[in-house]
Amino acid sequence: MLWPSSGARAATLVQPAMMERRGDHLRIGSLPTKPPGLAGESAAPCHYVLRPMTASDIPQIVAIERRVFGADAWPARAFQEEQRNRVAYYFVLTPAPDAGPGVIAGYVGLWALSDAVQIVTIAVRPESQRGGLGELLVQRAFALAEEVGAEAVTLECRESNAPARRLYGKYGFAEVGRRRRYYQDNGEDALILTAPVLSAAARCRRDQLRSRHWARFGVVLRDETAGVEERRRAP
C-alpha cells in the first residue's frame, strides 16, 4: 500500500494512491432499505457494538470481502498493513453479546488526512444487510472527522452506483471531480465526492438523519470507539 505523502490534502482532491484499485465499497447490497416486515409493523430494537478492528478480526473481514466484492476483495495482508498505517482507523460492527453471536456484521476503514477523512472501504455482511448498518458506518466517518477537526469527508464511488449516490447525497456529498476509467473490471469512472463536516448546516443535517435512522431501523448502538483519536495521541 502507498501511504499519502505529507502534502496530501484530500479535500483539495489530492488523494492517496492505492496499491490495488478496489471495487466500489458501498454497493447496492450494503445500502439501508426498509427491513422486511408487515406494513406499519414496529420492529424490535437491534443491539450492536461498534469497536476498533483487531488482528483477530481480519479472517472474518476477509471472508466478508470475498462474498461482497469477489475479485475486488482485499487479501489479509492489506488489512494487516492498514493496522500499521498511522492515518488509518478501522471499526467493526458486531451484535451486542446479549443480542446474538459476536460475528462481524460490517466494517469501515477510514484515513484521517490533513484536512479530510477519507472512506477507504465499507462493507456489510450479506445476512446483515437491509438494516441500516451501512449508514451507521458512514455516520462514524463524520464522527471521526469531528474528532480530528477535519473539514470534509471524502470518498470515491462508481458513477453507476445510483443507490450509494443517493445515500451520499443525503449526507451532503457532492461531486468535485472524477477519475477516468478508474475501475479495472469495466473501465468505469470513479466519482470523487466530498461532504462538509463542521458547518452548522452540516451538523443539523446529520442530527436529523440520525433521528430518522433510529425511527426507521431502531438500532441501539454501544459505541466503544469514542475518543479513539485521543487514546492514539496519548503518550
Side-chain angles (χ1 to χ4, degrees), residues 6 11 14 32 36 38-39 41-42 44 49-50 57 73 76 87 128 149 158 161 167 190 204 218 231:
S6 59
V14 182
L38 299 175
E41 180 181 3
S42 178
V49 175
L50 183 69
D57 295 325
V87 304
S128 301
R158 284 183 187 265
N161 195 339
L167 172 62
C204 181
R231 293 196 297 274

Side-chain angles (χ1 to χ4, degrees), residues 52-80:
M53 181 186 78
T54 66
S56 63
D57 295 325
I58 292 177
Q60 272 200 74
I61 288 174
V62 170
I64 296 171
E65 282 273 312
R66 290 171 179 164
R67 295 180 65 192
V68 174
F69 304 121
D72 289 327
W74 273 4
R77 70 176 183 277
F79 292 98
Q80 293 163 354

Side-chain angles (χ1 to χ4, degrees), residues 76-136:
R77 70 176 183 277
F79 292 98
Q80 293 163 354
E81 290 172 2
E82 283 288 75
Q83 288 199 301
R84 298 188 291 271
N85 180 359
R86 296 182 64 182
V87 304
Y89 296 78
Y90 278 70
F91 305 123
V92 300
L93 269 173
T94 65
D98 57 351
V103 298
I104 293 173
Y107 57 90
V108 63
L110 308 169
W111 284 3
L113 304 177
S114 56
D115 60 356
V117 165
Q118 181 174 3
I119 299 178
V120 178
T121 183
I122 183 168
V124 175
R125 179 186 292 272
E127 294 86 351
S128 301
Q129 292 172 7
R130 298 172 57 83
L133 300 186
E135 188 167 350
L136 281 180

